[in-house]
């Protein structure tokens, strides 16, 4: 019983932390979409035509993740989306490092100092990914548990 | 079986979240004063066999950060002292990429006015110059991008010796160099 409580307490903490983090990350990108489009362009991976649409949608995916995590709604889907997005981010960062691009990361904020692409950013994303996978695992367990309980009743 | 169903529900929900995000993003963008065009506008630049697409938001900072692979046509940056040297030697054509009103208020002497928004490939003044004419584009200051866009346009139509004076009008004025007013060079 205690174990269950600990697991759910951990889940709540991760949920809140990641929820706020994702809302914060989205803020700059929504306020300065053109700057964010430039950041995406710097990665030199997307066709030029798609830069804007990507800059428009990605921050809103982050907002959707942030809000659902904070409200505790559809945690499974939110964690699923979060993990997928973070894996994409890690891939992008790795590809930039491999190609020797010295560019702004565009990870959490778009300040003029600009946090550059680096291994540290990848490490941060891996921590986020671990959080996402934990939430995914936890919400699965919980749903299955709830279902078996209601089946018993 | 239960696990499978749970997974299926998660995937459906994820798709719904993505759709909500797309709708939210596109709707917000539509009403935001800083909204972007959904399809990024771009210039096509053909150099030899190379076909480049350069997004129009390409800003000065971006230009500085990366060297665009424009081959021998690549516009180079000039600092204030280099620009002034060419001004003194009359060895380059200065091109003011700002609006006509800004040009009339004050510009580098001998500079011609080609506002970026009115640029077209038939701009008559360009017909007077050989393709290897040294050109120096400038705009307001370090944070504007019209001079870069203009330099890229000039490259597109084949001018091979185009430079950008990054410091622009602000630096020129601050240095106390000669200025002209009115609509004549």
């Amino acid at each position: 019983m205690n174990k269950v409580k600990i697991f759910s307490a951990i889940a709540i903490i991760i949920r809140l932390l990641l929820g706020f983090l994702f809302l914060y990350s989205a803020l700059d990108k929504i306020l300065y979409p053109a700057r964010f489009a430039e950041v995406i362009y710097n990665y030199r991976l997307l066709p030029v035509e798609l830069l804007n649409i990507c800059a428009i949608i990605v921050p809103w995916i982050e907002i959707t993740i942030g809000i659902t995590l904070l409200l505790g709604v559809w945690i499974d889907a939110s964690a699923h989306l979060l993990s997928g997005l973070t894996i994409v981010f890690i891939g992008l960062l790795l590809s930039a490092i491999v190609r020797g691009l010295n560019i702004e990361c565009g990870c959490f904020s778009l300040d003029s100092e600009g946090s550059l692409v680096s291994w540290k950013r990848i490490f941060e994303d891996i921590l986020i990914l671990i959080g996402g996978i934990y939430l995914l695992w936890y919400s699965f367990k919980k749903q299955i548990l709830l279902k078996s309980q209601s089946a018993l009743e | 079986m239960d696990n499978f169903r749970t997974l299926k529900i998660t995937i459906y929900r994820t798709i719904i979240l993505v759709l909500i995000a797309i709708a939210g993003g596109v709707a917000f963008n539509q009403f935001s004063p800083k909204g972007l065009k959904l399809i990024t506008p771009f210039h096509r630049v053909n150099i030899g066999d190379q076909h480049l697409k350069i997004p129009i938001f390409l800003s000065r900072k971006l230009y500085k950060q990366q060297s665009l692979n424009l081959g021998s046509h690549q516009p180079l940056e000039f600092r204030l002292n280099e620009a002034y040297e060419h001004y003194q030697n009359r060895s380059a054509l200065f091109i003011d990429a700002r609006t006509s009103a800004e040009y009339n208020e004050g510009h580098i002497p001998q500079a011609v006015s080609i506002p970026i928004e009115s640029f077209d490939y038939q701009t008559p003044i360009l017909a007077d110059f050989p393709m290897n004419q040294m050109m120096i584009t400038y705009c307001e200051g370090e944070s504007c991008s019209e001079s870069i866009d203009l330099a890229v346009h000039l490259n597109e139509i084949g001018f091979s010796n185009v430079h950008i004076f990054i410091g622009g009008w602000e630096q020129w004025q601050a240095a106390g160099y000669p200025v002209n007013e009115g609509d004549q060079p």
Side-chain angles (χ1 to χ4, degrees):
Chain A
M1 190 58 204
N2 252 343
K3 221 172 161 186
V4 175
K5 270 187 180 164
I6 292 171
F7 280 141
S8 78
I10 294 175
I12 290 174
I13 293 170
I14 293 179
R15 213 153 58 69
L16 295 180
L17 281 178
L18 289 183
F20 280 118
L21 182 69
F22 269 72
L23 282 187
Y24 170 75
S25 310
L27 197 67
D28 260 5
K29 295 169 195 163
I30 285 187
L31 289 178
Y32 308 106
R35 283 268 298 113
F36 185 47
E38 282 182 30
V39 170
I40 303 175
Y41 173 67
N42 285 347
Y43 280 90
R44 302 276 172 162
L45 285 172
L46 267 191
V48 166
E49 294 89 334
L50 300 183
L51 295 171
N52 281 1
I53 191 79
C54 223
I56 289 166
I57 290 171
V58 168
W60 281 84
I61 292 181
E62 292 180 333
I63 286 216
T64 313
I65 292 171
I67 290 176
T68 45
L69 284 185
L70 288 181
L71 294 181
V73 185
W74 285 8
I75 300 293
D76 54 334
S78 189
H80 181 213
L81 194 53
L82 180 154
S83 308
L85 196 64
T86 310
I87 288 171
V88 171
F89 287 161
I90 292 173
L92 289 175
L93 289 171
L94 272 178
S95 85
I97 289 178
V98 167
R99 287 176 295 155
L101 296 180
N102 185 27
I103 56 175
E104 194 182 325
C105 166
C107 304
F108 304 115
S109 67
L110 300 172
D111 51 33
S112 53
E113 301 275 301
S115 52
L116 296 178
V117 164
S118 66
W119 287 105
K120 189 173 158 240
R121 297 275 97 82
I122 292 185
F123 178 70
E124 288 167 356
D125 274 358
I126 289 174
L127 286 185
I128 293 172
L129 181 60
I130 291 172
I133 291 172
Y134 178 85
L135 287 181
L136 198 56
W137 169 81
Y138 174 79
S139 62
F140 265 41
K141 278 276 173 216
K142 203 171 143 191
Q143 278 185 48
I144 290 166
L145 206 72
L146 284 176
K147 267 181 199 148
S148 60
Q149 267 178 359
S150 61
L152 281 177
E153 282 163 11
Chain B
M1 198 57 207
D2 250 6
N3 284 359
F4 181 67
R5 198 185 300 155
T6 312
L7 189 69
K8 229 165 93 177
I9 291 172
T10 300
I11 291 172
Y12 285 148
R13 285 176 173 177
T14 309
I15 293 171
I16 292 173
L17 286 187
V18 171
L19 291 178
I20 290 173
I22 292 174
V26 171
F28 180 84
N29 182 69
Q30 215 62 39
F31 295 109
S32 162
K34 288 184 182 169
L36 305 174
K37 287 186 179 158
L38 294 185
I39 304 291
T40 324
F42 57 86
H43 306 298
R44 254 178 227 284
V45 182
N46 297 323
I47 285 136
D49 303 335
Q50 261 190 311
H51 304 284
L52 293 179
K53 288 178 184 172
I54 300 179
I56 297 226
F57 59 73
L58 191 73
S59 72
R60 184 170 302 275
K61 189 169 166 229
L62 190 70
Y63 172 80
K64 277 176 135 176
Q65 274 173 359
Q66 1 215 316
S67 51
L68 279 173
N69 188 14
L70 295 179
S72 58
H73 292 265
Q74 182 175 346
L76 295 173
E77 282 175 33
F78 270 162
R79 290 168 189 283
L80 179 65
N81 59 339
E82 293 164 305
Y84 187 60
E85 215 178 292
H86 286 289
Y87 165 76
Q88 282 185 310
N89 300 336
R90 300 208 164 201
S91 45
L93 170 71
F94 281 82
I95 304 179
D96 192 315
R98 301 173 300 161
T99 62
S100 309
E102 286 169 322
Y103 176 85
N104 291 349
E105 271 177 37
H107 54 262
I108 297 177
Q110 311 301 328
V112 298
S113 170
I114 305 182
I116 184 73
E117 67 268 15
S118 68
F119 180 87
D120 78 59
Y121 297 101
Q122 309 300 322
T123 303
I125 194 142
L126 295 172
D128 301 339
F129 297 98
M131 298 314 268
N132 62 355
Q133 165 72 45
M134 182 187 275
M135 297 177 163
I136 302 178
T137 64
Y138 71 92
C139 45
E140 193 59 31
E142 283 199 22
S143 53
C144 61
S145 60
E146 291 92 336
S147 56
I148 293 173
D149 288 339
L150 186 61
V152 171
H153 281 319
L154 290 168
N155 276 320
E156 282 177 54
I157 57 176
F159 285 103
S160 58
N161 199 2
V162 182
H163 299 255
I164 302 162
F165 169 32
I166 291 289
W169 177 240
E170 280 170 7
Q171 267 192 19
W172 186 270
Q173 242 187 339
Y177 292 151
V179 298
N180 265 4
E181 285 174 14
D183 57 1
Q184 293 302 312

